[in-house]
Amino acid sequence: MIGSLSHLIRAAAISAILDGSERITRRQLNSIHVDYASERQFRGGDREAG
């Protein structure tokens, strides 16, 4: 999980520098894709179908 968080922050920081905003926003964080397990957890995909 720490690796996923590290990737997310690093990617957001690079994106913020490249687009000139130099700010990390929630919208920007939500647009960055991390590993499958983290995405699944965030999207609520760990719930079992019932």
Side-chain angles (χ1 to χ4, degrees):
M1 293 181 116
I2 294 298
S4 298
L5 178 60
S6 175
H7 171 77
L8 179 65
I9 293 170
R10 186 178 312 114
I14 291 169
S15 177
I17 291 167
L18 292 175
D19 73 13
S21 68
E22 298 188 4
R23 293 174 188 242
I24 295 175
T25 64
R26 184 176 298 269
R27 177 181 285 163
Q28 185 181 38
L29 291 172
N30 287 338
S31 72
I32 296 170
H33 298 283
V34 290
D35 62 86
Y36 176 76
S38 296
E39 289 287 331
R40 185 173 172 199
Q41 177 96 20
F42 177 73
R43 308 273 180 229
D46 278 347
R47 288 182 238 142
E48 297 206 22

